[in-house]
Amino acid sequence: MSATRRRPQAGGSAFDRGLYFLPLGGCGEIGMNLYLYGVDGRWLAVDFGVSFGDENTPGVEVVMPDPAFLEDLQDNLLGIVLTHGHEDHLGAIQYLWPRLRCPVYATPFTAAYLRLKLAETPFVSEIPVTEMQSGGRLSLGPFDLQLVPVTHSIPDAQMLILSTPYGRVVHSGDWKLDPDPQLGRTTDTTALRAAGQDGVLAFVCDSTNVLEPGASGSEAEVLTALETVIAGARHRVAVTCFSTHVARIRSIARAAHKAGRHCALVGRSLW
């Protein structure tokens, strides 16, 4: 048997009035985050990420969401707002932006990381990247965006509070409640409480392992463990981590220094 998926139509009366949430990737999966919000025919994309191939996709290294729906509504696409700098939230821009040619909005760290990736493309000078301040506000068409700083394994991560004529939506991005994150700000729970008191129509929330019981550990606990392990090792120590986990890299360096060791970065992504 074979089947074809019916492609949603961007234009027409179906989306002319009302508030819509349409995920093109990221829901029910880890990675490839691409979420659309529509208000009266005007659209905003939140994140534009990739996922990675595995043993089920031999020869495939990067998997990206299908941008065909976005191409259909290109004239009404206000831009792409990035919540943070991880590959699964911005990695598709360097491949697919020429098919959309819309503005991109990001906080300073995320924008700097994106520009490094875009330097490898022929359109680096064409793409308009506008920096937003962490915790700031941005108005795009019918959307009034408030950025809410959150703790994550990369600096400058933000939740988004999207106020529209039809109600307020909170889009979490990736987040964590860590009282001692070692680098970056703690999650701005005051802003989230204020949004809740004002009324929220929907909370679009992403939290890996949310169904696991218990609480997530603090990055401060990781630092303590690293100090113990590195100080107790007799020979060379190799520690692996994500290159964007700047707080973890800092903790590794601090633990090495405390033990009287020298720390070396190995690998292109880390450099």
Side-chain angles (χ1 to χ4, degrees):
M1 293 180 62
S2 64
T4 57
R5 180 180 296 178
R6 183 179 178 184
R7 175 171 161 181
Q9 297 298 309
S13 59
F15 294 110
D16 283 348
R17 299 292 298 171
L19 167 63
Y20 295 90
F21 168 67
L22 179 61
L24 298 184
C27 279
E29 62 186 342
I30 296 177
M32 207 163 65
N33 294 280
L34 174 54
Y35 308 97
L36 298 183
Y37 291 91
V39 171
D40 297 342
R42 308 295 299 281
W43 293 84
L44 184 69
V46 176
D47 292 332
F48 206 158
V50 299
S51 61
F52 300 97
D54 55 24
E55 65 276 5
N56 297 312
T57 56
V60 175
E61 295 184 0
V62 176
V63 184
M64 290 170 280
D66 184 353
F69 182 82
L70 285 170
E71 289 180 283
D72 286 347
L73 56 82
Q74 189 173 12
D75 291 341
N76 290 312
L77 180 60
L78 299 171
I80 302 169
V81 177
L82 301 176
T83 59
H84 64 282
H86 277 148
E87 288 289 308
D88 60 333
H89 289 260
L90 59 68
I93 292 178
Q94 69 185 102
Y95 301 104
L96 299 178
W97 181 84
R99 295 172 61 174
L100 306 176
R101 310 194 75 82
C102 64
V104 177
Y105 301 88
T107 49
F109 184 92
T110 304
Y113 183 67
L114 176 62
R115 290 188 181 104
L116 284 174
K117 299 184 68 62
L118 293 176
E120 302 174 356
T121 71
F123 54 84
V124 60
S125 61
E126 302 175 37
I127 180 169
V129 180
T130 300
E131 291 190 12
M132 309 177 293
Q133 291 305 309
S134 175
R137 289 182 176 272
L138 175 69
S139 291
L140 293 173
F143 299 94
D144 178 43
L145 278 68
Q146 178 185 352
L147 279 65
V148 179
V150 295
T151 301
H152 189 33
S153 57
I154 190 171
D156 247 1
Q158 309 287 309
M159 280 194 192
L160 302 178
I161 300 176
L162 297 90
S163 296
T164 77
Y166 297 95
R168 182 179 292 106
V169 177
V170 177
H171 184 100
S172 76
D174 292 350
W175 60 281
K176 182 179 181 179
L177 298 177
D178 187 340
D180 194 4
Q182 299 301 295
L183 188 68
R185 301 171 62 174
T186 56
T187 297
D188 188 352
T189 55
T190 300
L192 295 178
R193 286 192 183 97
Q197 291 170 355
D198 292 339
V200 172
L201 181 65
F203 183 27
V204 179
C205 179
D206 184 7
S207 183
T208 304
N209 296 325
V210 67
L211 299 180
E212 295 293 326
S216 299
S218 171
E219 194 64 26
E221 298 172 12
V222 178
L223 172 60
T224 300
L226 285 168
E227 290 175 344
T228 301
V229 170
I230 292 175
R234 295 178 57 193
H235 302 293
R236 183 178 299 173
V237 179
V239 186
T240 63
C241 67
F242 289 107
S243 60
T244 52
H245 200 333
V246 183
R248 183 69 53 80
I249 296 170
R250 181 172 183 264
S251 293
I252 295 167
R254 288 178 62 187
H257 179 74
K258 186 174 181 180
R261 292 174 174 267
H262 295 286
C263 191
L265 297 178
V266 179
R268 176 177 178 270
S269 293
L270 279 169
W271 277 108

